[in-house]
Amino acid sequence: MEDISFYDQVYQVVRLIPEGRVSSYGTIASYLGTKGSARMVGYAMNAADTAHPTVPAHRVVNRIGLLTGKFHFNAEDLMKELLENEGIKVENDQVKDFKKLFWDPAIELQL
């Protein structure tokens, strides 16, 4: 059986984040059993533009809803625009109603 890379595991989870919802680097790391490796999830998001199928990297923010990954998108405000196109309000690079819109795979993907 072929091992799935950490990045691919991250991408699989991020692809499950519904439109109009957001998650965080640390929450995804915890879900994958690698609590404390939020930075590695961030590195995966930085490389997500090469993944196929596409990865909605704009839906991953930091633990308080800040768009800390926005500098890795092709245009300065692209991350914000993508979120706003999904109905998410962003003010001063922070997701409004973050707690209400937060998607935790450990809860949402329970069987």
Side-chain angles (χ1 to χ4, degrees):
M1 184 169 144
E2 185 179 327
D3 287 329
I4 299 174
S5 77
F6 180 74
Y7 280 21
D8 287 332
Q9 291 177 50
V10 170
Y11 299 156
Q12 287 177 353
V13 174
V14 173
R15 286 183 186 112
L16 298 173
I17 303 170
E19 186 174 315
R21 304 282 300 276
V22 292
S23 194
S24 71
Y25 305 102
T27 299
I28 292 167
S30 291
Y31 178 75
L32 293 173
T34 57
K35 186 174 180 158
S37 49
R39 189 177 304 254
M40 289 300 296
V41 173
Y43 293 150
M45 291 298 89
N46 293 346
D49 60 339
T50 62
H52 297 288
T54 59
V55 176
H58 61 283
R59 296 180 188 151
V60 184
V61 296
N62 84 352
R63 64 184 172 83
I64 60 170
L66 288 172
L67 311 189
T68 52
K70 76 176 196 165
F71 301 107
H72 300 285
F73 285 79
N74 290 336
E76 184 178 341
D77 287 328
L78 183 57
M79 185 176 188
K80 177 183 176 189
E81 290 171 14
L82 291 168
L83 290 169
E84 288 177 337
N85 287 343
E86 295 183 6
I88 297 174
K89 293 184 174 119
V90 177
E91 189 174 291
N92 296 321
D93 289 334
Q94 186 165 18
V95 173
K96 301 298 285 178
D97 297 321
F98 176 64
K99 289 183 180 180
K100 178 182 167 194
L101 299 173
F102 188 73
W103 184 85
D104 184 342
I107 295 169
E108 304 286 346
L109 299 178
Q110 284 184 342
L111 297 176

